[in-house]
Amino acid sequence: MRIVMLGAPGAGKGTQAKKLIDEYGIPQISTGDILRQNIAQGTPLGKEAKGYMDKGELVPDKVVLGLVEDRLKQPDCQKGFILDGFPRNTAQAAALDEMLKGINMPLQLAISIDVPFEDLMKRLTGRRTCRSCGQMYNVYFSPSKTEGKCDKDGGELYQRDDDKEETIKKRLQVYESQTAPLIEYYSKKGIVRNIAGTGSISDIYGKVTAELAKLK
Ligand code: AP5
Ligand code: MG
């Protein structure tokens, strides 16, 4: 299964992708997560990316394309993958098409999760993530049982550096101008499925898996 998750910051791409990993046995490729790992490890790539991410801007295509190309070559992607946060503009989408053509693994579906703008700010300012396992929580909608601690492994919960109100506004602008046009890009290829992203996480998951079930 080869899928792209589309949607604004806070739409729930990562939340849904993480649920799909277990059920379908395919990896989530989140360029945002890979970049944040590089920042945490202090790699040169992380140092380059941090300035853009802290401002809510896109990291240059050249950097991101290299990461994705390397990741797709890993053996665990042979059965399929869930791209989350990539592609992010039409240049990245065209480069992805070329990459996948080269390995004869074209995309099958682009799931577009649509959440009203006014809900996104609360989802993002309330998000907390486990530093060790990546599980996501939300202080307003789905808090952990013990404040600041992950229910799964007791790891420390942290708030992303770019989940500040000013940076969120910029990310949403960047989404509207650069990423939202991808819905049209994939519509033209006939592979977009639009899913309303309000409601419970499990309701939305049900709608996502219903679309995936239609794939052969
Ligand atoms: P990235 O990490 O991709 O962030 P994003 O696109 O801004 O999206 P988010 O991760 O914020 O949202 P999400 O849709 O995954 O929502 P989540 O599931 O967490 O990118 C960050 C930065 O990295 C970019 O700004 C850019 O600088 C750089 N970058 C990354 N990829 C790049 C690329 N390809 N090219 C260039 N630059 C790139 O959910 C959010 C919250 O809502 C959570 O708290 C969750 O619990 C909650 N929630 C989820 N679903 C629901 C629900 N149904 N009801 C209530 N709450 C919910
Ligand atoms: Mg995410």
Side-chain angles (χ1 to χ4, degrees):
M1 199 167 291
R2 301 177 296 276
I3 324 163
V4 166
M5 305 294 289
L6 292 175
K13 304 180 293 294
T15 301
Q16 297 298 326
K18 283 186 168 50
K19 287 172 79 71
L20 292 170
I21 298 174
D22 296 335
E23 186 157 348
Y24 292 87
I26 52 173
Q28 168 202 20
I29 304 179
S30 159
T31 41
D33 286 352
I34 298 172
L35 291 167
R36 279 185 290 278
Q37 274 160 19
N38 275 273
I39 293 175
Q41 290 162 0
T43 68
L45 194 147
K47 284 180 184 141
E48 184 182 353
K50 186 169 172 30
Y52 296 98
M53 292 172 78
D54 285 350
K55 282 189 263 176
E57 292 170 2
L58 295 186
V59 173
D61 292 347
K62 185 170 56 68
V63 175
V64 177
L65 288 171
L67 286 179
V68 173
E69 194 153 23
D70 287 348
R71 186 66 188 85
L72 286 171
K73 284 182 193 149
Q74 302 298 313
D76 63 338
C77 293
Q78 295 316 301
K79 278 201 294 178
F81 46 78
I82 308 155
L83 287 165
D84 161 11
F86 177 91
R88 213 97 174 186
N89 56 29
T90 45
Q92 290 184 10
L96 175 66
D97 284 344
E98 279 307 301
M99 266 182 233
L100 296 178
K101 206 164 128 192
I103 52 176
N104 200 23
M105 288 174 78
L107 280 180
Q108 295 169 292
L109 221 53
I111 305 265
S112 172
I113 306 179
D114 186 35
V115 174
F117 190 85
E118 53 274 20
D119 295 350
L120 296 170
M121 187 60 81
K122 204 164 177 184
R123 285 198 186 185
L124 291 169
T125 53
R127 172 168 50 195
R128 300 291 183 273
T129 309
C130 175
R131 225 180 255 293
S132 51
C133 75
Q135 176 65 38
M136 273 172 304
Y137 298 89
N138 193 288
V139 296
Y140 305 113
F141 306 115
S142 50
S144 60
K145 291 196 184 90
T146 310
E147 199 189 324
K149 282 214 158 105
C150 179
D151 294 347
K152 282 190 169 170
D153 65 2
E156 179 208 356
L157 302 186
Y158 78 100
Q159 187 167 19
R160 267 170 49 176
D161 287 342
D162 60 350
D163 279 347
K164 297 185 183 86
E165 211 169 306
E166 277 316 299
T167 319
I168 293 169
K169 283 185 190 154
K170 177 69 184 172
R171 286 161 59 202
L172 293 171
Q173 283 166 8
V174 169
Y175 172 78
E176 279 305 324
S177 62
Q178 301 199 45
T179 312
L182 292 182
I183 299 173
E184 177 66 16
Y185 179 94
Y186 288 119
S187 286
K188 284 187 182 149
K189 294 179 185 287
I191 61 167
V192 169
R193 300 294 177 272
N194 290 297
I195 289 185
T198 39
S200 74
I201 290 172
S202 56
D203 282 352
I204 296 158
Y205 186 65
K207 292 190 250 177
V208 172
T209 51
E211 289 301 335
L212 298 182
K214 293 178 197 162
L215 287 177
K216 273 187 236 133

